[in-house]
Amino acid sequence: MRLLSISLMVALLAFAVPSFAAPAVDEAGAAKLKKEVEDALAFSLKVGESTGEGMKMDGQVQVTPSGSYYQVKIPGIRFDMPEGRLNVGNVVMNASPADDGAYLVSAAIPTRMTFATSNNPEAAVITIGTQKSASVWYPAYNNVTKLDSLYGNIAVAVTGKNGKPGFDVKLDQAKVVRNLVKNADGTWSGPDSDSAGCNSSGAVAGG
């Protein structure tokens, strides 16, 4: 899984946060970031545990200092629902701390994910050909204020059942952009958009 280029990370950081000396990257900072990530995930995981549906995670959040940033691993993400289970897998991030409590984050999700039902472990397979994602995250507000993500060559292959053929869905790309600024009253506002595009040959093909 390829993470966003260092040049784009630096550009986004310069645009998004004040120009002060960033906190040192060390073991104490890793422990702090680990708790912040766990706190951000806590509500979704609690819902999943109490209802049996929603987000689940295998193992513990891992945070390791690496030069000027932290390597973060969120292991074994999956989403349980009545129809089956979406197996996402490991989500990995590089997080660079800023002086104002924000982190500049580049993230990568697995390039292959599966949807499992009670009688088919791969009832659907999702693949992602290319990806990049850069964001500015404020743990204190539990808010991603800036986001620039692009996923390309996305395909979903659905297995047929009950004698019916399967089908494929293909997208050239999916893009999500957010650019929020903090207002004088403490609220955040700004553009937030998403889009997806299909190739000219058609999005759906019979299997």
Side-chain angles (χ1 to χ4, degrees):
M1 293 179 288
R2 185 172 58 188
L3 297 183
L4 188 68
S5 67
I6 296 297
S7 60
L8 182 55
M9 289 173 61
V10 171
L12 183 59
L13 182 60
F15 170 73
V17 298
S19 179
F20 300 113
V25 174
D26 53 25
E27 292 295 340
K32 176 176 177 289
L33 177 55
K34 181 176 185 293
K35 185 178 186 306
E36 289 170 331
V37 174
E38 290 172 340
D39 289 346
L41 296 173
F43 178 76
S44 295
L45 291 172
K46 184 177 181 179
V47 171
E49 180 180 359
S50 61
T51 67
E53 298 179 11
M55 183 178 174
K56 308 288 181 62
M57 182 175 71
D58 294 327
Q60 300 296 315
V61 173
Q62 302 170 28
V63 180
T64 306
S66 181
S68 61
Y69 62 91
Y70 296 101
Q71 295 179 338
V72 182
K73 179 181 178 182
I74 304 175
I77 294 294
R78 65 185 190 276
F79 294 88
D80 289 340
M81 55 198 77
E83 299 83 1
R85 169 181 292 175
L86 176 62
N87 296 299
V88 175
N90 299 333
V91 174
V92 296
M93 300 179 288
N94 289 345
S96 300
D99 187 65
D100 65 345
Y103 292 90
L104 175 70
V105 179
S106 65
I109 61 177
T111 57
R112 186 180 190 275
M113 294 173 273
T114 61
F115 185 81
T117 62
S118 58
N119 56 10
N120 189 344
E122 294 192 355
V125 177
I126 304 166
T127 57
I128 301 173
T130 61
Q131 63 176 296
K132 63 178 183 179
S133 178
S135 63
V136 176
W137 174 50
Y138 283 87
Y141 312 124
N142 195 19
N143 192 6
V144 174
T145 60
K146 300 186 185 297
L147 173 65
D148 186 1
S149 61
L150 180 65
Y151 302 91
N153 300 323
I154 304 165
V156 182
V158 180
T159 304
K161 61 180 181 179
N162 299 326
K164 297 181 179 180
F167 62 91
D168 299 328
V169 178
K170 296 183 179 180
L171 291 175
D172 279 351
Q173 67 176 35
K175 184 177 180 65
V176 182
V177 176
R178 172 182 290 183
N179 186 16
L180 305 183
V181 295
K182 192 174 184 179
N183 302 313
D185 61 0
T187 61
W188 294 82
S189 63
D192 194 344
S193 64
D194 58 82
S195 62
C198 302
N199 57 36
S200 58
S201 61
V204 180

PDB file of all heavy atoms in Angstrom, residues 150-170:
ATOM      1  N   LEU A 150      -7.962  10.444  -2.921  1.00  0.00           N
ATOM      2  CA  LEU A 150      -8.303  10.012  -4.275  1.00  0.00           C
ATOM      3  C   LEU A 150      -8.025   8.522  -4.397  1.00  0.00           C
ATOM      4  O   LEU A 150      -6.914   8.064  -4.110  1.00  0.00           O
ATOM      5  CB  LEU A 150      -7.482  10.782  -5.306  1.00  0.00           C
ATOM      6  CG  LEU A 150      -7.727  10.444  -6.774  1.00  0.00           C
ATOM      7  CD1 LEU A 150      -9.149  10.824  -7.191  1.00  0.00           C
ATOM      8  CD2 LEU A 150      -6.712  11.149  -7.673  1.00  0.00           C
ATOM      9  N   TYR A 151      -9.039   7.765  -4.829  1.00  0.00           N
ATOM     10  CA  TYR A 151      -8.915   6.327  -5.024  1.00  0.00           C
ATOM     11  C   TYR A 151      -9.247   6.018  -6.483  1.00  0.00           C
ATOM     12  O   TYR A 151     -10.234   6.523  -7.025  1.00  0.00           O
ATOM     13  CB  TYR A 151      -9.861   5.581  -4.086  1.00  0.00           C
ATOM     14  CG  TYR A 151      -9.605   5.898  -2.631  1.00  0.00           C
ATOM     15  CD1 TYR A 151     -10.273   6.943  -2.012  1.00  0.00           C
ATOM     16  CD2 TYR A 151      -8.679   5.172  -1.893  1.00  0.00           C
ATOM     17  CE1 TYR A 151     -10.029   7.269  -0.681  1.00  0.00           C
ATOM     18  CE2 TYR A 151      -8.419   5.480  -0.568  1.00  0.00           C
ATOM     19  CZ  TYR A 151      -9.101   6.531   0.030  1.00  0.00           C
ATOM     20  OH  TYR A 151      -8.834   6.843   1.342  1.00  0.00           O
ATOM     21  N   GLY A 152      -8.403   5.200  -7.117  1.00  0.00           N
ATOM     22  CA  GLY A 152      -8.584   4.936  -8.539  1.00  0.00           C
ATOM     23  C   GLY A 152      -8.682   3.462  -8.868  1.00  0.00           C
ATOM     24  O   GLY A 152      -8.267   2.596  -8.098  1.00  0.00           O
ATOM     25  N   ASN A 153      -9.243   3.196 -10.040  1.00  0.00           N
ATOM     26  CA  ASN A 153      -9.385   1.819 -10.543  1.00  0.00           C
ATOM     27  C   ASN A 153     -10.059   0.918  -9.507  1.00  0.00           C
ATOM     28  O   ASN A 153      -9.522  -0.115  -9.093  1.00  0.00           O
ATOM     29  CB  ASN A 153      -8.023   1.245 -10.942  1.00  0.00           C
ATOM     30  CG  ASN A 153      -7.353   2.054 -12.039  1.00  0.00           C
ATOM     31  OD1 ASN A 153      -8.023   2.550 -12.942  1.00  0.00           O
ATOM     32  ND2 ASN A 153      -6.039   2.214 -11.952  1.00  0.00           N
ATOM     33  N   ILE A 154     -11.244   1.319  -9.101  1.00  0.00           N
ATOM     34  CA  ILE A 154     -12.003   0.593  -8.084  1.00  0.00           C
ATOM     35  C   ILE A 154     -12.914  -0.422  -8.768  1.00  0.00           C
ATOM     36  O   ILE A 154     -13.599  -0.094  -9.742  1.00  0.00           O
ATOM     37  CB  ILE A 154     -12.854   1.565  -7.251  1.00  0.00           C
ATOM     38  CG1 ILE A 154     -11.963   2.645  -6.629  1.00  0.00           C
ATOM     39  CG2 ILE A 154     -13.637   0.826  -6.173  1.00  0.00           C
ATOM     40  CD1 ILE A 154     -12.729   3.834  -6.097  1.00  0.00           C
ATOM     41  N   ALA A 155     -12.895  -1.639  -8.265  1.00  0.00           N
ATOM     42  CA  ALA A 155     -13.744  -2.689  -8.839  1.00  0.00           C
ATOM     43  C   ALA A 155     -14.415  -3.470  -7.724  1.00  0.00           C
ATOM     44  O   ALA A 155     -13.795  -3.769  -6.694  1.00  0.00           O
ATOM     45  CB  ALA A 155     -12.920  -3.627  -9.716  1.00  0.00           C
ATOM     46  N   VAL A 156     -15.678  -3.787  -7.938  1.00  0.00           N
ATOM     47  CA  VAL A 156     -16.433  -4.641  -7.017  1.00  0.00           C
ATOM     48  C   VAL A 156     -16.962  -5.823  -7.812  1.00  0.00           C
ATOM     49  O   VAL A 156     -17.737  -5.645  -8.758  1.00  0.00           O
ATOM     50  CB  VAL A 156     -17.608  -3.880  -6.364  1.00  0.00           C
ATOM     51  CG1 VAL A 156     -18.331  -4.783  -5.376  1.00  0.00           C
ATOM     52  CG2 VAL A 156     -17.117  -2.607  -5.683  1.00  0.00           C
ATOM     53  N   ALA A 157     -16.518  -7.016  -7.460  1.00  0.00           N
ATOM     54  CA  ALA A 157     -16.966  -8.241  -8.126  1.00  0.00           C
ATOM     55  C   ALA A 157     -17.912  -8.984  -7.192  1.00  0.00           C
ATOM     56  O   ALA A 157     -17.504  -9.415  -6.108  1.00  0.00           O
ATOM     57  CB  ALA A 157     -15.774  -9.122  -8.489  1.00  0.00           C
ATOM     58  N   VAL A 158     -19.161  -9.114  -7.603  1.00  0.00           N
ATOM     59  CA  VAL A 158     -20.184  -9.750  -6.785  1.00  0.00           C
ATOM     60  C   VAL A 158     -20.488 -11.139  -7.343  1.00  0.00           C
ATOM     61  O   VAL A 158     -20.787 -11.289  -8.533  1.00  0.00           O
ATOM     62  CB  VAL A 158     -21.473  -8.911  -6.748  1.00  0.00           C
ATOM     63  CG1 VAL A 158     -22.538  -9.591  -5.889  1.00  0.00           C
ATOM     64  CG2 VAL A 158     -21.177  -7.511  -6.225  1.00  0.00           C
ATOM     65  N   THR A 159     -20.401 -12.145  -6.481  1.00  0.00           N
ATOM     66  CA  THR A 159     -20.655 -13.525  -6.884  1.00  0.00           C
ATOM     67  C   THR A 159     -22.150 -13.762  -7.050  1.00  0.00           C
ATOM     68  O   THR A 159     -22.959 -13.291  -6.247  1.00  0.00           O
ATOM     69  CB  THR A 159     -20.093 -14.499  -5.835  1.00  0.00           C
ATOM     70  OG1 THR A 159     -18.702 -14.234  -5.657  1.00  0.00           O
ATOM     71  CG2 THR A 159     -20.296 -15.942  -6.269  1.00  0.00           C
ATOM     72  N   GLY A 160     -22.523 -14.493  -8.082  1.00  0.00           N
ATOM     73  CA  GLY A 160     -23.925 -14.833  -8.280  1.00  0.00           C
ATOM     74  C   GLY A 160     -24.406 -15.842  -7.245  1.00  0.00           C
ATOM     75  O   GLY A 160     -23.612 -16.556  -6.622  1.00  0.00           O
ATOM     76  N   LYS A 161     -25.726 -15.912  -7.047  1.00  0.00           N
ATOM     77  CA  LYS A 161     -26.286 -16.876  -6.114  1.00  0.00           C
ATOM     78  C   LYS A 161     -27.656 -17.322  -6.619  1.00  0.00           C
ATOM     79  O   LYS A 161     -28.286 -16.655  -7.446  1.00  0.00           O
ATOM     80  CB  LYS A 161     -26.396 -16.284  -4.709  1.00  0.00           C
ATOM     81  CG  LYS A 161     -27.294 -15.066  -4.605  1.00  0.00           C
ATOM     82  CD  LYS A 161     -27.335 -14.560  -3.168  1.00  0.00           C
ATOM     83  CE  LYS A 161     -28.249 -13.356  -3.042  1.00  0.00           C
ATOM     84  NZ  LYS A 161     -28.319 -12.869  -1.641  1.00  0.00           N
ATOM     85  N   ASN A 162     -28.072 -18.457  -6.121  1.00  0.00           N
ATOM     86  CA  ASN A 162     -29.368 -19.031  -6.521  1.00  0.00           C
ATOM     87  C   ASN A 162     -29.486 -19.170  -8.035  1.00  0.00           C
ATOM     88  O   ASN A 162     -30.543 -18.941  -8.620  1.00  0.00           O
ATOM     89  CB  ASN A 162     -30.521 -18.178  -5.992  1.00  0.00           C
ATOM     90  CG  ASN A 162     -30.540 -18.090  -4.478  1.00  0.00           C
ATOM     91  OD1 ASN A 162     -30.182 -19.034  -3.791  1.00  0.00           O
ATOM     92  ND2 ASN A 162     -30.950 -16.932  -3.953  1.00  0.00           N
ATOM     93  N   GLY A 163     -28.370 -19.571  -8.647  1.00  0.00           N
ATOM     94  CA  GLY A 163     -28.370 -19.784 -10.088  1.00  0.00           C
ATOM     95  C   GLY A 163     -28.267 -18.531 -10.923  1.00  0.00           C
ATOM     96  O   GLY A 163     -28.234 -18.608 -12.161  1.00  0.00           O
ATOM     97  N   LYS A 164     -28.227 -17.378 -10.297  1.00  0.00           N
ATOM     98  CA  LYS A 164     -28.130 -16.126 -11.034  1.00  0.00           C
ATOM     99  C   LYS A 164     -26.668 -15.737 -11.230  1.00  0.00           C
ATOM    100  O   LYS A 164     -25.831 -16.015 -10.370  1.00  0.00           O
ATOM    101  CB  LYS A 164     -28.883 -15.025 -10.285  1.00  0.00           C
ATOM    102  CG  LYS A 164     -30.370 -15.266 -10.156  1.00  0.00           C
ATOM    103  CD  LYS A 164     -31.037 -14.125  -9.417  1.00  0.00           C
ATOM    104  CE  LYS A 164     -32.542 -14.356  -9.296  1.00  0.00           C
ATOM    105  NZ  LYS A 164     -33.212 -13.253  -8.565  1.00  0.00           N
ATOM    106  N   PRO A 165     -26.350 -15.080 -12.360  1.00  0.00           N
ATOM    107  CA  PRO A 165     -24.956 -14.687 -12.597  1.00  0.00           C
ATOM    108  C   PRO A 165     -24.535 -13.552 -11.682  1.00  0.00           C
ATOM    109  O   PRO A 165     -25.375 -12.763 -11.203  1.00  0.00           O
ATOM    110  CB  PRO A 165     -24.973 -14.238 -14.054  1.00  0.00           C
ATOM    111  CG  PRO A 165     -26.369 -13.788 -14.299  1.00  0.00           C
ATOM    112  CD  PRO A 165     -27.238 -14.710 -13.477  1.00  0.00           C
ATOM    113  N   GLY A 166     -23.258 -13.464 -11.443  1.00  0.00           N
ATOM    114  CA  GLY A 166     -22.727 -12.343 -10.691  1.00  0.00           C
ATOM    115  C   GLY A 166     -22.577 -11.123 -11.582  1.00  0.00           C
ATOM    116  O   GLY A 166     -22.962 -11.133 -12.759  1.00  0.00           O
ATOM    117  N   PHE A 167     -22.012 -10.072 -11.022  1.00  0.00           N
ATOM    118  CA  PHE A 167     -21.794  -8.874 -11.821  1.00  0.00           C
ATOM    119  C   PHE A 167     -20.620  -8.084 -11.250  1.00  0.00           C
ATOM    120  O   PHE A 167     -20.196  -8.301 -10.110  1.00  0.00           O
ATOM    121  CB  PHE A 167     -23.056  -7.999 -11.854  1.00  0.00           C
ATOM    122  CG  PHE A 167     -23.494  -7.491 -10.503  1.00  0.00           C
ATOM    123  CD1 PHE A 167     -23.047  -6.273 -10.009  1.00  0.00           C
ATOM    124  CD2 PHE A 167     -24.367  -8.242  -9.724  1.00  0.00           C
ATOM    125  CE1 PHE A 167     -23.450  -5.818  -8.765  1.00  0.00           C
ATOM    126  CE2 PHE A 167     -24.784  -7.786  -8.482  1.00  0.00           C
ATOM    127  CZ  PHE A 167     -24.317  -6.567  -7.999  1.00  0.00           C
ATOM    128  N   ASP A 168     -20.088  -7.197 -12.066  1.00  0.00           N
ATOM    129  CA  ASP A 168     -18.974  -6.348 -11.676  1.00  0.00           C
ATOM    130  C   ASP A 168     -19.384  -4.892 -11.745  1.00  0.00           C
ATOM    131  O   ASP A 168     -20.138  -4.486 -12.645  1.00  0.00           O
ATOM    132  CB  ASP A 168     -17.757  -6.548 -12.589  1.00  0.00           C
ATOM    133  CG  ASP A 168     -17.241  -7.965 -12.545  1.00  0.00           C
ATOM    134  OD1 ASP A 168     -17.350  -8.609 -11.499  1.00  0.00           O
ATOM    135  OD2 ASP A 168     -16.719  -8.414 -13.583  1.00  0.00           O
ATOM    136  N   VAL A 169     -18.889  -4.093 -10.817  1.00  0.00           N
ATOM    137  CA  VAL A 169     -19.054  -2.644 -10.844  1.00  0.00           C
ATOM    138  C   VAL A 169     -17.659  -2.026 -10.841  1.00  0.00           C
ATOM    139  O   VAL A 169     -16.813  -2.402 -10.031  1.00  0.00           O
ATOM    140  CB  VAL A 169     -19.856  -2.144  -9.621  1.00  0.00           C
ATOM    141  CG1 VAL A 169     -19.965  -0.622  -9.634  1.00  0.00           C
ATOM    142  CG2 VAL A 169     -21.236  -2.777  -9.590  1.00  0.00           C
ATOM    143  N   LYS A 170     -17.422  -1.087 -11.748  1.00  0.00           N
ATOM    144  CA  LYS A 170     -16.104  -0.473 -11.858  1.00  0.00           C
ATOM    145  C   LYS A 170     -16.223   1.041 -11.839  1.00  0.00           C
ATOM    146  O   LYS A 170     -17.113   1.617 -12.457  1.00  0.00           O
ATOM    147  CB  LYS A 170     -15.410  -0.940 -13.138  1.00  0.00           C
ATOM    148  CG  LYS A 170     -15.123  -2.440 -13.158  1.00  0.00           C
ATOM    149  CD  LYS A 170     -14.369  -2.855 -14.412  1.00  0.00           C
ATOM    150  CE  LYS A 170     -14.078  -4.349 -14.391  1.00  0.00           C
ATOM    151  NZ  LYS A 170     -13.355  -4.799 -15.597  1.00  0.00           N
TER     152      LYS A 170
END
